[in-house]
Amino acid sequence: MNAIISASELADALRSERPPVLLDVRWQLSTAAAAGEPFDGRAAYASGHVPGAVFVDLDRELASAPGARGRHPLPDLDVFGAAMRRAGVSAGTPVVAYDGGIGWAAARAWWLLRWTGHPDVRVLDGGLPAWDGPSETEAPTPAEGDFVPEPAGSGVLDADGAAALARAGVLLDARAGERYRGEVEPIDPVGGHIPGAVSAPTSDNVDADGRFRPAAELRARFGRLGATPDAPVGVYCGSGVSAAHEVLALEIAGIPAALYVGSWSEWSSDPARPVAVGPDPQ
């Protein structure tokens, strides 16, 4: 199954006999430039959303509280499961997640649902800006779903696993190149990257409209970085959000990949962990 869905395909699906559950996962890492206030995804949702969509709070429902395991550690599964059931998610219903367009937050929801056993989840390609259908401001009250998250035994890396994969496989760093090189670090205490990791910014996954590049282009891109279907591949970013976008791009390319959820926010907080700087992986 394709991991993404176009706006026109979504419109058709919503008119079908088996419409998908819609998750609105609008979220931003940065603050609003003009007012200096944190981005309020719930307020954005209330101002207009795809009809039938339910708002999902990334910071509270798709992650646990920040701490030693990073800024966006794995959520408590009871909290995550309750949020999905509240949104109407059942094991047998298709799900489509979207965000404000960058794709990171929607990909986090996609990854979590896939990792915990849901078989039919897609991300709206291009996010809400790609949607040209009607919108609504009222929050729906869907029937309670029955989805119970059951984590897979694979697909997740801890810090030691990420370090090992950087030596024995391919570990991709999904952050911007300047953060990978350690030239700037606006969030975490130390700049640089995990030794052995390869720079692979998420910005190269999409075109100028924010839509994913074709599978062949993505396959070629990742192949140049050493990531192929036959190689063990993992991804990290700052806190396990944009890295989910990279895992999604790899999925489109036909390349399975694990996610280091703690990512750089966990790694860099431990002074015992080595740090590499500059363009060279080592």
Side-chain angles (χ1 to χ4, degrees), residues 175-228:
R175 299 173 300 160
E178 57 268 25
R179 290 185 69 192
Y180 170 87
R181 296 187 294 270
E183 297 166 358
V184 298
E185 183 43 66
I187 305 172
D188 294 310
V190 179
H193 59 269
I194 297 173
V198 178
S199 181
T202 56
S203 56
D204 291 343
N205 294 333
V206 296
D207 61 21
D209 293 325
R211 292 176 174 83
F212 281 97
R213 298 187 184 279
E217 287 187 23
L218 290 171
R219 200 155 41 243
R221 180 212 177 194
F222 292 123
R224 290 190 293 269
L225 299 174
T228 66

Side-chain angles (χ1 to χ4, degrees), residues 24 26-27 39-49 55 128 136:
D24 184 310
R26 271 179 278 182
W27 171 87
F39 175 78
D40 188 340
R42 194 176 295 276
Y45 167 82
S47 69
H49 51 266
F55 179 72
L128 190 60
E136 66 180 15

Side-chain angles (χ1 to χ4, degrees), residues 5 12 17 44 51-52 59 67 87 99 105 108 115 127 129 159 176 182 190 195 214 257:
I5 184 171
D12 289 341
E17 295 181 358
D59 289 318
D99 57 25
R108 172 77 174 214
W115 179 64
V190 179

Side-chain angles (χ1 to χ4, degrees), residues 106-211:
R108 172 77 174 214
W110 168 85
W111 180 83
L112 274 168
L113 280 165
R114 286 287 301 275
W115 179 64
T116 55
H118 199 288
D120 189 352
V121 191
R122 286 180 285 179
V123 167
L124 176 58
D125 196 16
L128 190 60
W131 175 254
D132 57 3
S135 66
E136 66 180 15
T137 56
E138 280 192 38
T141 53
E144 183 88 358
D146 63 15
F147 178 69
V148 177
E150 297 181 3
S154 60
V156 174
L157 298 170
D158 59 12
D160 289 339
L165 189 59
R167 296 189 298 270
V170 181
L171 182 65
L172 301 177
D173 185 318
R175 299 173 300 160
E178 57 268 25
R179 290 185 69 192
Y180 170 87
R181 296 187 294 270
E183 297 166 358
V184 298
E185 183 43 66
I187 305 172
D188 294 310
V190 179
H193 59 269
I194 297 173
V198 178
S199 181
T202 56
S203 56
D204 291 343
N205 294 333
V206 296
D207 61 21
D209 293 325
R211 292 176 174 83

Side-chain angles (χ1 to χ4, degrees), residues 7-33:
S8 61
E9 290 171 333
L10 176 58
D12 289 341
L14 291 172
R15 291 190 293 265
S16 72
E17 295 181 358
R18 191 168 171 258
V21 170
L22 291 178
L23 306 180
D24 184 310
V25 202
R26 271 179 278 182
W27 171 87
Q28 287 183 12
L29 181 63
S30 60
T31 58

